[in-house]
Amino acid sequence: MVPLLSLKQFFNDMRRQKLRTLMTTFGIFWGTCAIVLLFAFGKGITEAQLKSQRGLGENIAIFWPGITSKEFKGLPKGRRIRFTEDDIAMIKARATTVSRISPEYSRWSVTIKHGKNTYNQQVIGIWPEFGEMRNIIPDVGSRFINDLDIAGRRRVIFIGDRLKEDLFGSEPAVGETILLDGVPFTVIGVMKEKKQDSSYSGRDNRKGFIPSSTFKTMYSARRLNDFVVQCKPELTMKQTKDEIYGILGGRYKFDPTDTEALSVWDTTEGFAFLKTFFMAFSAFLVGIGVATLITGGIGVTNIMNVVLEERTKEIGIKMALGARKSMILSQFVVETLMITAVGGLSGFLFAYLIVSIFPYLNLDEFIGVPMIDTSIGLLAVVLIGIVGFTAGIFPARRAANLQPVQALKLF
Amino acid sequence: MIEMKELRKAYTTGKVEFEALKGIDLSIKHSEMVAVVGPSGSGKSTLMNIIGCLDVPTSGEYRLEDDPVNEMTSNQLADIRNKKIGFVFQAFNLLPYATAYENIEVPLLFARVSGKKRRERVNELLARVGLADKAGNKPTEMSGGEMQRTAIARSLANDPDLILADEPTGNLDSKSGGEIVKIFHELWSAGKTVIIITHDMNIAEQAQRIIRLKDGLVEGNGNLA
């Protein structure tokens, strides 16, 4: 066994020096707590932002009609380029970089009526893929538009969760009939609530979604409002955009390099920005964390230094009474380890407590739900521990290496 | 018991070297009671610290019970301080946050004496120095005389053969000082070797022998009795 000076002596010393022990423990407690909370909130905010960004859809781009800005094969610039559902079918058949695609017919201010409730909302006509691309998830007991709906031009509608509340309140909606501009539609699904902080034509939660074929027939629509594309996960949106410009350019005779012939919102660019931003944010947090650690470390070092005078004399007395160097050092080691463990653990638990009650404060819409990263917590404890340990052990070692008489007289 | 030959001790403070002991030859036998006297700066305390293994000489030879102290490891020295030597300081050097009982217990803890024996021994020592009723007092709750008696009890914890006292009455009034000297006398009568540093000739004259130091050298070394 290590020449550990008896446990009794050890606990006696700890108990007697309550203030010193308490202060040191608190320093470590606070440092750990601050760092764990910092990273928990940082992670919460990051996740909340990325999640609401994903509410629009991942790896998607939206294409609107545009006006050519370059002459091409004898045709003048300034021509309007619009597209139809057939074009989308053609892209789907020919494009190799596209994983999903859907046309989008859109009509604002459609009168939607159920019982006595009447609302004017946007209704869009789409393909089944639209739901998957745009992260529109049917709630329990619901489904999205499917291929049979398209083929049969069924009068079925999928509605956003807020629209459902407006029309039905807490009553079930699926299976009910609602009137769209006087035409009866059967509700087949309700969207599961989602976070969405960006959109191009209003939030999905108040929209009605119907099959493109039904829309086309009902409103005699020919031109699409826009179409939505998702690129294959292993490819970049740039490749997909180039391919679509090529296909539509061939059909409508415009220069495939003419970026204004089609108007595109590539959401992956925003996503890339957001990712970069949050990487910088994380680096910032790491910086603050390191600063906190250093501050905590200085605090612990300070306390250790303040008690050095007392300690050195104490070490001198103990050596004069026959303590071996190893006994003195092992006492310091165990003491520091215990202080670190208790301080670190309680700091971690306190942070955990705060994080646990946080969801009840209903602030998650703004800063997300803080999430504790155990490995970072442990890292913080270990780092502060090393600082405290170094601060405690080196003076002790120096004192233990003195002749007893020197330690007794040093101060 | 103690043999010293040509013992020297030099301190370096910054660039100035100061020689506290300039070649001490000394011999102290078992069960002797010796007083060390001399003016301030004569090297009394330095000598005492070296005898007590609290410090090491710069050169020369020091044998304690025929063992060469110069050649010992720090652990061996620690064991000697723990078991063979009891040291009483002028400034008491009690652990300030511990009670009389706990202070006396410390050398026993270092010697790994088991719980029951430890308790018996501490209580026996407390009774011996007349502090049985002060066991739970901290140094701040005791008089100077009581603190010094606690320190003596602590020095006796592991029943050492050699008791060293560096101006043990220096911080005490004459009455308390008298009690302390009486205890040392009793210890000597019980067969211990006692070495006392003192300014007080009244105390010195109670010893068998007085060693006079001056400027780091033994000036006089004579038997009184």
Side-chain angles (χ1 to χ4, degrees):
Chain A
M1 190 185 139
V2 199
L4 229 191
L5 146 72
S6 99
L7 275 179
K8 178 174 166 31
Q9 166 93 28
F10 170 67
F11 283 112
N12 281 350
D13 281 359
M14 290 270 277
R15 203 185 60 230
R16 288 177 201 130
Q17 297 156 44
K18 280 184 198 116
L19 187 66
R20 174 168 85 206
T21 310
L22 200 74
M23 294 293 277
T24 319
T25 312
F26 186 76
I28 291 176
F29 164 84
W30 189 242
T32 312
C33 183
I35 287 174
V36 172
L37 282 182
L38 188 71
F39 282 98
F41 278 93
K43 196 172 174 188
I45 292 171
T46 309
E47 288 295 319
Q49 290 301 316
L50 290 177
K51 195 174 159 194
S52 51
Q53 175 75 13
R54 273 186 220 116
L56 179 66
E58 266 174 292
N59 277 339
I60 63 167
I62 300 103
F63 289 71
W64 286 274
I67 294 169
T68 59
S69 65
K70 291 179 182 171
E71 293 175 10
F72 187 68
K73 291 187 176 170
L75 294 164
K77 60 183 180 181
R79 286 180 303 125
R80 180 176 280 267
I81 304 298
R82 290 190 287 192
F83 31 78
T84 65
E85 201 173 337
D86 293 341
D87 298 333
I88 308 309
M90 183 180 74
I91 293 171
K92 190 177 180 179
R94 286 174 36 188
T96 56
T97 62
V98 171
S99 106
R100 294 191 178 107
I101 188 166
S102 167
E104 185 171 356
Y105 294 103
S106 180
R107 195 171 179 93
W108 295 87
S109 208
V110 173
T111 306
I112 303 179
K113 192 165 186 260
H114 173 255
K116 288 176 183 163
N117 297 330
T118 306
Y119 290 88
N120 284 330
Q121 291 296 0
Q122 185 189 8
V123 168
I124 58 175
I126 39 78
W127 286 357
E129 286 101 296
F130 188 85
E132 284 147 52
M133 277 191 286
R134 295 280 319 282
N135 272 338
I136 295 166
I137 299 162
D139 212 340
V140 182
S142 301
R143 69 170 179 86
F144 197 64
I145 308 295
N146 65 22
D147 290 330
L148 291 173
D149 297 331
I150 304 278
R153 291 180 197 176
R154 288 177 180 166
R155 288 201 306 275
V156 290
I157 185 165
F158 180 91
I159 57 179
D161 52 315
R162 300 290 282 276
L163 178 59
K164 183 259 168 191
E165 267 175 46
D166 290 343
L167 291 172
F168 295 93
S170 56
E171 301 292 311
V174 176
E176 296 295 314
T177 301
I178 57 177
L179 298 176
L180 261 64
D181 286 335
V183 179
F185 275 72
T186 304
V187 178
I188 52 164
V190 178
M191 186 176 83
K192 196 172 172 180
E193 189 185 347
K194 71 169 178 177
K195 284 201 164 36
Q196 179 184 0
D197 69 348
S198 57
S199 66
Y200 51 88
S201 59
R203 304 282 161 99
D204 292 334
N205 54 23
R206 289 196 195 275
K207 281 183 195 170
F209 305 81
I210 63 173
S212 59
S213 51
T214 315
F215 191 104
K216 193 175 167 184
T217 313
M218 184 164 157
Y219 294 107
S220 306
R222 210 173 83 76
R223 308 283 186 197
L224 294 177
N225 194 65
D226 60 83
F227 65 91
V228 182
V229 173
Q230 188 171 44
C231 68
K232 289 189 173 157
E234 69 275 14
L235 301 173
T236 63
M237 190 52 85
K238 171 88 173 60
Q239 293 168 288
T240 307
K241 273 193 285 189
D242 289 347
E243 190 176 28
I244 289 173
Y245 270 86
I247 293 169
L248 290 180
R251 184 168 168 91
Y252 291 106
K253 310 254 177 319
F254 64 82
D255 187 340
T257 64
D258 184 354
T259 52
E260 291 183 27
L262 301 168
S263 173
V264 186
W265 180 22
D266 178 355
T267 66
T268 60
E269 284 169 8
F271 210 66
F273 165 77
L274 209 68
K275 271 191 174 152
T276 314
F277 175 79
F278 277 108
M279 241 158 72
F281 183 64
S282 296
F284 174 69
L285 287 186
V286 168
I288 293 184
V290 168
T292 312
L293 267 177
I294 291 172
T295 314
I298 289 173
V300 173
T301 313
N302 240 333
I303 295 164
M304 290 290 190
N305 262 315
V306 167
V307 300
L308 179 61
E309 177 176 333
E310 187 192 339
R311 287 241 108 161
T312 305
K313 179 144 192 180
E314 176 191 323
I315 289 169
I317 294 174
K318 286 182 178 167
M319 286 199 293
L321 299 177
R324 292 180 172 195
K325 203 190 289 180
S326 51
M327 290 177 181
I328 287 175
L329 283 178
S330 58
Q331 180 181 358
F332 270 82
V333 172
V334 174
E335 185 179 309
T336 315
L337 285 181
M338 281 204 32
I339 286 175
T340 310
V342 171
L345 199 71
S346 54
F348 191 80
L349 286 178
F350 188 69
Y352 188 83
L353 190 76
I354 290 180
V355 167
S356 307
I357 58 174
F358 199 80
Y360 300 104
L361 303 179
N362 280 327
L363 292 169
D364 52 308
E365 194 177 334
F366 307 104
I367 49 180
V369 179
M371 276 170 277
I372 284 191
D373 191 329
T374 316
S375 56
I376 283 179
L378 282 178
L379 189 71
V381 175
V382 168
L383 285 179
I384 290 195
I386 290 174
V387 173
F389 190 76
T390 314
I393 206 73
F394 277 94
R397 213 172 68 114
R398 209 182 62 205
N401 275 330
L402 294 172
Q403 292 301 326
V405 69
Q406 289 172 298
L408 281 170
K409 284 182 180 168
L410 198 63
F411 289 99
Chain B
M1 175 148 208
I2 292 169
E3 288 292 334
M4 286 182 166
K5 283 204 182 83
E6 258 307 292
L7 194 90
R8 286 169 184 273
K9 177 67 184 181
Y11 294 109
T12 315
T13 320
K15 284 178 181 168
V16 187
E17 189 170 286
F18 170 71
E19 203 167 28
L21 299 178
K22 297 172 180 171
I24 301 276
D25 294 311
L26 193 64
S27 169
I28 294 172
K29 290 193 283 289
H30 261 285
S31 305
E32 252 195 305
M33 182 161 175
V34 178
V36 179
V37 298
S40 294
S42 59
K44 305 186 296 286
S45 289
T46 305
L47 178 64
M48 200 63 134
N49 291 333
I50 289 173
I51 294 174
C53 299
L54 298 179
D55 208 350
V56 288
T58 315
S59 68
E61 196 187 354
Y62 169 27
R63 284 175 177 274
L64 181 66
E65 296 195 312
D66 293 330
D67 295 323
V69 173
N70 312 39
E71 293 163 21
M72 290 183 186
T73 64
S74 75
N75 280 347
Q76 285 172 316
L77 290 174
D79 291 346
I80 285 181
R81 288 193 295 266
N82 185 233
K83 296 193 180 73
K84 291 193 176 169
I85 301 175
F87 213 110
V88 178
F89 302 89
Q90 180 178 1
F92 319 132
N93 282 341
L94 298 173
L95 295 176
Y97 44 77
T99 63
Y101 183 99
E102 288 166 334
N103 265 294
I104 296 170
E105 196 182 21
V106 173
L108 297 167
L109 289 168
F110 291 141
R112 301 174 184 286
V113 176
S114 68
K116 186 164 174 264
K117 277 190 185 165
R118 213 162 58 213
R119 226 169 7 255
E120 285 169 6
R121 181 70 180 150
V122 174
N123 287 327
E124 182 191 327
L125 289 164
L126 278 166
R128 178 159 184 185
V129 296
L131 289 175
D133 55 337
K134 306 270 181 180
N137 288 25
K138 291 187 177 178
T140 46
E141 299 157 350
M142 291 191 272
S143 70
E146 286 166 347
M147 283 197 271
Q148 196 58 297
R149 279 187 275 155
T150 307
I152 293 173
R154 182 179 66 180
S155 73
L156 298 174
N158 287 320
D159 199 20
D161 290 333
L162 180 59
I163 308 293
L164 302 176
D166 187 349
E167 303 257 12
T169 61
N171 284 354
L172 304 177
D173 60 73
S174 57
K175 183 173 171 283
S176 306
E179 289 169 5
I180 299 299
V181 173
K182 200 172 145 241
I183 296 174
F184 283 119
H185 242 276
E186 285 166 11
L187 290 170
W188 171 56
S189 305
K192 305 279 185 201
T193 310
V194 178
I195 305 176
I196 301 179
I197 291 185
T198 183
H199 270 112
D200 187 340
M201 284 316 288
N202 289 330
I203 295 172
E205 279 162 11
Q206 296 183 42
Q208 283 176 299
R209 184 150 69 107
I210 295 180
I211 295 170
R212 287 172 196 279
L213 287 191
K214 194 181 178 191
D215 294 334
L217 288 166
V218 177
E219 198 189 43
N221 188 352
N223 285 348
L224 289 172

